[in-house]
Amino acid sequence: MKSVGIGIIGGGLMGREMASAFGRWCALTDVEVKPELVAVADVVEDVRNWFQRIPSCTQLTGDYKELLANPAVDVVYVAVPHNLHERIYIDVLEAGKDLFAEKPFGFDLSAAKNIAAAVKKTGRYTRCSSEFPFFPGAQRVVQAVKAAKFGRVLEVVSGFHHSSDLDATKPANWKRFSRTCGEIGVLGDLGMHACHLPLRFGWKPKSLFAQLQKGYPQRPDGKGGMADCDTWDNAVLHTWADIGGQEAPLRLEMKRLAPGETNTWFIEVLGTEGGVRYSTKHPKTLWVFEGGKEQYWKQTDLGFGTPFKAVTGGIFEPGFPDVIQQMWAAFLMEREGKLGDRFGCATVEEAVASQEIFAAALESQKTGTAVKLSL
């Protein structure tokens, strides 16, 4: 099995999650490439030290440029605050490394376009992180859309909700400030999750009306004082999209203040002749609608039907670590030209299109009007 040297820039929550996915790689049975973590760069020493438990990781550094100079690194995964995306992503590409980028692919639309231009200039293989479509239920939605058995699509809802920011005592971090998270706020934080499948299906918004909402204006700063917070926390985007030659409402929802939701990704497609609904709130359950004189919602209990086969028994339930691993399998197999007809990671074009949507949302919020898009 071919090994690919992986470097991680930003060893926090997601950096550790990616490293753990590599450690379980033996669970996959139909991949022809193996990731090997060889280097980690993070400015915080305690964060770097966590990776000492991984024998293959022989370089720990506080300077990401030292990682980029390492010839053992083939692919770099980057998970850093949004204001650092553009510079670091372009440095990765210009260093001759392939890039697995975290969403939102830049601080704003301008940054996303600059990164895309660097991808084109360097010719480096690049994808954007978006793991939830790799859940078996999400893959069944993908299959249903491909089968086109809905009749005329009447409505699509796609979104991501969580509630951790309902806690007013939670200290402010970089996501609370426009200077580091970007003016787009929650759109950049969660928006790729909501946009990925609609964009993959070709359901591109033609017009958009945004309802953006801010939460607590201040939070503890972790030093005994209070910090001013200025990012958008909730966003509901009402759009019209061309679906099957007909205009249909497409609603995109991104919320960091969603009561009762720990971490929920969902999508629903409803048509005149059928429909499908899936949510990670009930990760084993797929809902399928059948029309006719009598109408039915059928509930199906799903097992471990992931795109890439694993040793895990088919009756068992996949979780977040599993779909992270599936996403990496898709990234690496597509890099090798061996993805086949399996679902692939979010593309550069999809990442830029999501930023087009976010920019239109900001304009709509400012003007209080619907904004046209030409994606």
Side-chain angles (χ1 to χ4, degrees):
M1 184 181 294
K2 178 180 178 180
S3 291
V4 176
I6 308 294
I8 291 176
I9 299 176
L13 177 67
M14 293 309 299
R16 295 192 298 270
E17 194 69 51
M18 302 306 177
S20 70
F22 305 154
R24 295 180 57 249
W25 205 254
C26 61
L28 299 178
T29 61
D30 63 345
V31 293
E32 300 175 39
V33 60
K34 176 184 178 181
E36 184 176 32
L37 182 63
V38 297
V40 173
D42 196 287
V43 295
V44 179
E45 183 177 6
D46 285 346
V47 171
R48 297 196 301 270
N49 287 342
W50 183 90
F51 293 89
Q52 291 179 354
R53 68 192 67 197
I54 301 173
S56 63
C57 187
T58 57
Q59 182 186 34
L60 298 175
T61 176
D63 183 351
Y64 76 87
K65 292 186 178 180
E66 292 181 358
L67 180 150
L68 296 182
N70 186 341
V73 174
D74 303 305
V75 170
V76 181
Y77 167 75
V78 186
V80 296
H82 302 166
N83 62 312
L84 302 178
H85 281 194
E86 182 178 3
R87 181 66 270 155
I88 294 179
Y89 289 3
I90 292 175
D91 283 347
V92 169
L93 297 166
E94 292 182 344
K97 312 296 186 182
D98 291 338
L99 172 64
F100 201 173
E102 262 299 342
K103 40 79 181 168
F105 209 71
F107 189 70
D108 54 19
L109 177 58
S110 175
K113 288 182 175 179
N114 289 340
I115 297 165
V119 172
K120 184 176 181 180
K121 179 181 178 181
T122 61
R124 304 310 306 184
Y125 173 71
T126 301
R127 292 294 182 266
C128 186
S129 177
S130 176
E131 62 274 7
F132 291 101
F134 291 91
F135 269 101
Q139 288 297 299
R140 292 286 288 270
V141 173
V142 172
Q143 294 169 15
V145 170
K146 287 182 177 180
K149 295 182 178 180
F150 300 128
R152 178 177 177 176
V153 174
L154 300 173
E155 180 183 37
V156 178
V157 183
S158 180
F160 190 88
H161 293 173
H162 70 70
S163 61
S164 65
D165 290 350
L166 285 172
D167 180 5
T169 67
K170 179 182 176 182
N173 60 20
W174 63 266
K175 291 184 179 181
R176 305 283 82 78
F177 312 121
S178 292
R179 65 181 181 272
T180 47
C181 187
E183 186 183 359
I184 54 179
V186 69
L187 294 160
D189 188 15
L190 306 180
M192 187 73 242
H193 295 308
C195 294
H196 188 181
L197 281 189
L199 290 173
R200 180 62 54 89
F201 297 149
W203 300 345
K204 299 177 180 180
K206 303 299 182 183
S207 65
L208 176 154
F209 180 79
Q211 293 175 301
L212 307 184
Q213 184 180 34
K214 293 185 178 181
Y216 300 108
Q218 288 189 325
R219 286 185 178 274
D221 62 6
K223 303 175 183 178
M226 300 295 290
D228 294 330
C229 303
D230 63 350
T231 57
W232 299 108
D233 284 296
N234 285 357
V236 178
L237 311 184
H238 305 270
T239 84
W240 286 103
D242 185 342
I243 301 177
Q246 302 277 354
E247 277 198 330
L250 165 62
R251 189 168 78 249
L252 304 171
E253 298 187 4
M254 296 132 274
K255 297 181 180 180
R256 297 191 295 214
L257 298 168
E261 304 294 344
T262 301
N263 204 61
T264 303
W265 178 91
F266 57 91
I267 187 167
E268 180 178 73
V269 183
L270 296 176
T272 55
E273 299 174 17
V276 64
R277 175 192 299 153
Y278 178 72
S279 169
T280 59
K281 193 174 185 70
H282 304 285
K284 292 181 61 175
T285 304
L286 178 74
W287 290 88
V288 178
F289 175 74
E290 293 184 358
K293 290 186 178 180
E294 292 186 331
Q295 301 174 16
Y296 305 91
W297 274 107
K298 299 197 308 183
Q299 176 182 333
T300 303
D301 203 15
L302 301 174
F304 207 87
T306 51
F308 291 89
K309 296 178 183 178
V311 297
T312 308
I315 64 171
F316 299 125
E317 305 86 4
F320 186 74
D322 296 298
V323 295
I324 288 289
Q325 187 180 60
Q326 290 285 318
M327 178 180 68
W328 267 100
F331 175 90
L332 292 170
M333 287 290 280
E334 186 174 12
R335 181 176 180 267
E336 293 297 311
K338 297 180 179 180
L339 183 65
D341 60 357
R342 287 174 289 206
F343 189 84
C345 299
T347 65
V348 172
E349 293 76 17
E350 289 165 345
V352 174
S354 72
Q355 285 277 9
E356 296 269 13
I357 293 170
F358 307 156
L362 292 179
E363 182 180 350
S364 175
Q365 177 68 26
K366 290 175 182 176
T367 62
T369 61
V371 174
K372 292 188 179 299
L373 294 96
S374 55
L375 299 179

